[in-house]
Amino acid sequence: MKVTEAMLDAALRKATEAGLFPRHCSSYEMQVNREVMYGILSAAMGEAAVDFMEGTLVESRATPLLSLVHSHYK
């Protein structure tokens, strides 16, 4: 699966809402943010493809991290 512009836009919007990227930045900074997010999405999709081919659950690796994040905000 390939990273689409719609996926990239949605990921950037969510990352900005979460405070990972600044709301207001220069065009250069926005391009850098897009490249960073593209790399993240590509790596995640590549990892998901490997897990799918190996027959393992992708969620099994994410669960401990999500538990840590959620416990921090309780």
Side-chain angles (χ1 to χ4, degrees):
M1 184 178 241
K2 188 176 178 181
V3 176
T4 66
E5 285 298 313
M7 291 173 165
L8 188 55
D9 290 341
L12 284 166
R13 189 171 37 258
K14 290 296 185 181
T16 301
E17 289 172 5
L20 299 174
F21 291 136
R23 291 196 183 276
H24 306 287
C25 56
S26 69
S27 58
Y28 173 76
E29 290 170 321
M30 180 54 83
Q31 183 60 36
V32 169
N33 292 345
R34 288 184 77 78
E35 290 172 7
V36 167
M37 186 57 70
Y38 181 85
I40 293 168
L41 291 174
S42 295
M45 292 173 72
E47 188 70 24
V50 169
D51 285 345
F52 178 75
M53 288 188 290
E54 292 175 355
T56 60
L57 293 175
V58 175
E59 294 83 9
S60 64
R61 288 193 209 167
T63 303
L65 178 60
L66 290 175
S67 297
L68 288 173
V69 170
H70 289 292
S71 65
H72 175 72
Y73 290 104
K74 288 183 180 176

